[in-house]
Amino acid sequence: MRILMLSKALVNGAYQKKCEELAALPDVELIVAVPPAWREPRVGVIRLERRFTAGYQLVTLPMMFNGRHHLHFYPTFERLVRRTRPDIVHVDEESFNLATFLALRAGVRHGARCCFYNYANIDRFYPPPFNLFERYAFRHAAHAFACSAEAAAIIRRHGYTGSLTILPQFGVDPDLYAPARRDRRNATLVVGYIGRLVPEKGVLDLVDAIARLPASIRLRLIGDGALRPAIETQIARLGIAERVELRPAVPSTRVPDELQRLDALVLPSRTTRTWKEQFGRILVEAMSCAVPVVGSSSAAIPDVIGDAGIIYPEGDITALADALRRLADDPALRDDLGRRGRERVLAQFTQAAIARQYHHAYRSMLN
């Protein structure tokens, strides 16, 4: 079974572990095509990391309109399809994207069975040509993947009638994202956020919550994005600069080290008219490190955390502060949530388990 996967997300070195796990399964020959870099809007350029590349081919393709989620495409992708003759073409993009349309069309032309991946969890009307791209994907895809039940329901409402699997795009490597020994005698609690600094992630709520808590609770923010100046202003206005570290984003392979230095991780996402949390991958990464997590009630977050963390009503700064105070006051609770988080990841979210489920779906596409 020769699989050709097209994925800009796989510029992230940590995510590539799924490819190694998939390539190690029986009768799999895997080729993964990625751009040399991806320009994330409002954040910056994410360059290709080559971290987990054993057992499969990782090739780079030029990308047109880099940074445009729905308009980017790979002008030489069909040449790669023609050369490799895959049985499966997996396009790691939404059904309504130009890249998906062109890649699926190339796969169909050369006899491959094709699939796509949908994250979109807000139902909306797609104007031409995006609705036409979606219709083409629905007609020609042998399988669809969706990140959540909400995302799956939307493509069903839009007319997709084929086979479908609800599955995270990537899992977590539990050896890379491993628990670290923590000194419970330390009176300081370090609360962290790692991710994009954009309004919908609710980071300003987290800064406000920290300002309401004792000085022994500190905040470490790691990331880049358009909200950074507003965060700096808020920190200064609240007079908590000595309690808050604001650091730039780190390469994906350094994220485990940063998580292991935290006592708790918060994902304070806020739903907007055009966005709500689609998965919250940093949650499962923290849980794998046995770091207790606190998440808002935005969309997928409660389903990802389950009973292995604390959920608070999104936008409720008082509730967020109360949750962090509970963790600070109760080391046993932190230990319990950390243990439950690790167990939840091992049961549901490892890269190996996710790869096996993709493998099963690919097999079904060829039957």
Side-chain angles (χ1 to χ4, degrees), residues 5 7-22 30 32 34 46 49-53 56 58 92 119 169-173 176-177 194 251-253 255 279-285 351-352 354-355:
M5 184 180 295
S7 177
K8 69 180 185 297
L10 283 167
V11 299
N12 183 306
Y15 295 179
Q16 294 160 7
K17 185 65 175 179
K18 183 184 82 171
C19 301
E20 285 194 345
E21 297 287 359
L22 180 59
L30 178 62
V32 175
V34 297
I46 304 170
E49 304 169 295
R50 292 181 178 269
R51 177 64 188 268
F52 296 104
T53 60
Y56 68 97
L58 181 64
D92 237 359
Y119 260 108
Q169 190 177 18
F170 302 105
V172 175
D173 179 355
L176 180 63
Y177 290 87
I194 302 176
S252 67
T253 49
V255 171
F279 185 75
R281 178 178 169 78
I282 193 65
L283 291 169
V284 293
E285 292 173 342
Q351 294 281 30
I354 297 297

Side-chain angles (χ1 to χ4, degrees), residues 306-348:
D307 65 351
I310 299 174
I311 307 295
Y312 72 93
E314 60 175 294
D316 189 335
I317 297 168
T318 299
L320 173 55
D322 288 344
L324 295 176
R325 188 178 287 106
R326 283 179 60 200
L327 290 177
D329 292 344
D330 193 343
L333 175 62
R334 299 201 300 272
D335 287 341
D336 181 54
L337 293 179
R339 175 186 55 77
R340 282 195 257 169
R342 176 75 175 177
E343 290 173 353
R344 184 169 175 80
V345 168
L346 293 178
Q348 299 186 34

Side-chain angles (χ1 to χ4, degrees), residues 8 102 165 182 222 247 251 321:
K8 69 180 185 297
L102 294 175
T165 301
R182 292 180 174 83
I222 301 174
R247 294 165 42 193

Side-chain angles (χ1 to χ4, degrees), residues 1 21-29 359 363:
M1 179 168 58
E21 297 287 359
L22 180 59
L25 294 172
D27 304 320
V28 170
E29 180 183 351
H359 183 259
R363 281 283 176 214

Side-chain angles (χ1 to χ4, degrees), residues 131-294:
N131 60 341
L132 302 178
F133 299 158
E134 184 178 62
R135 290 176 198 170
Y136 182 91
F138 289 174
R139 286 199 308 271
H140 293 90
H143 202 92
F145 296 97
C147 71
S148 65
E150 279 186 308
I154 286 171
I155 61 174
R156 289 296 193 202
R157 285 198 297 273
H158 284 211
Y160 180 69
T161 60
S163 299
L164 187 151
T165 301
I166 298 172
L167 191 60
Q169 190 177 18
F170 302 105
V172 175
D173 179 355
D175 296 325
L176 180 63
Y177 290 87
R181 187 181 299 278
R182 292 180 174 83
D183 186 357
R184 296 305 186 199
R185 294 170 299 178
N186 192 339
T188 300
L189 185 85
V190 180
V191 175
Y193 168 88
I194 302 176
R196 295 180 298 137
L197 302 182
V198 293
E200 60 269 25
K201 287 295 185 174
V203 183
L204 292 175
D205 289 349
L206 179 54
V207 173
D208 277 350
I210 290 296
R212 302 182 184 192
L213 295 169
S216 59
I217 301 176
R218 305 180 67 86
L219 177 61
R220 184 175 297 143
L221 304 173
I222 301 174
D224 294 318
L227 197 65
R228 176 178 286 270
I231 294 171
E232 292 172 338
T233 299
Q234 182 115 324
I235 291 169
R237 181 180 62 80
L238 294 171
I240 55 172
E242 74 284 355
R243 296 172 50 200
V244 181
E245 292 181 70
L246 181 55
R247 294 165 42 193
V250 298
S252 67
T253 49
R254 280 183 50 200
V255 171
D257 294 334
E258 297 294 347
L259 286 169
Q260 289 162 358
R261 296 173 60 224
L262 300 178
D263 298 302
L265 177 116
V266 180
L267 185 57
S269 302
R270 274 196 177 218
T271 299
T272 72
R273 185 178 60 83
T274 58
W275 181 91
K276 55 185 173 180
E277 190 62 66
Q278 295 169 324
F279 185 75
R281 178 178 169 78
I282 193 65
L283 291 169
V284 293
E285 292 173 342
M287 289 156 65
S288 186
C289 294
V291 175
V293 295
V294 177

Side-chain angles (χ1 to χ4, degrees), residues 289-308:
C289 294
V291 175
V293 295
V294 177
S296 78
S297 57
S298 179
I301 290 176
D303 291 335
V304 172
I305 292 178
D307 65 351

Side-chain angles (χ1 to χ4, degrees), residues 108-147:
V108 169
R109 279 177 177 167
H110 295 278
R113 304 285 281 171
C114 301
C115 59
F116 60 85
Y117 192 96
N118 263 52
Y119 260 108
N121 59 353
I122 293 181
D123 203 348
R124 67 188 75 186
F125 169 76
Y126 305 127
F130 304 104
N131 60 341
L132 302 178
F133 299 158
E134 184 178 62
R135 290 176 198 170
Y136 182 91
F138 289 174
R139 286 199 308 271
H140 293 90
H143 202 92
F145 296 97
C147 71

